[in-house]
Amino acid sequence: MKYYFLSGIPRAGNTILSCLLNQNKNIGVTANSYLTEVFSSLEKMKHTNEAYLNYPDEKSHTSLMNNILPSYYSQWESEFIIDRSCWGNPYYMDILKKYCPNEIKIICL
């Protein structure tokens, strides 16, 4: 499975592009995804969560972050997954660079 990301401003054609791409059985485009929030929440916990601060287990945290995408999309049958969210934001770009399992490709509209 390969992951790509779709990021665009409102009214730029994200929905129509998603509908067109989803007609191909090898491509799965999400609705507006909340995975940016999942990544962000877990990353922020490293700095705010008392349990993590008392026992900072970086290896386990990194493993969890590295497996968010494969785990979340494990039931999808598409070869190519396009996650649609605000991935173009510099904060989320840094998260992708750190935890994305393959080369980052973002479709920007």
Side-chain angles (χ1 to χ4, degrees), residues 55-68:
Y55 184 72
D57 185 359
E58 185 65 29
K59 283 184 178 182
S60 296
H61 185 269
T62 299
S63 176
L64 175 63
M65 297 292 275
N66 286 337
N67 286 293
I68 288 174

Side-chain angles (χ1 to χ4, degrees), residues 1 25-28 73-81:
M1 203 174 281
K25 66 178 180 169
N26 294 321
I27 300 173
Y73 291 114
S74 65
Q75 300 303 309
W76 287 50
E77 295 181 11
S78 304
E79 181 180 350
F80 305 99
I81 303 295

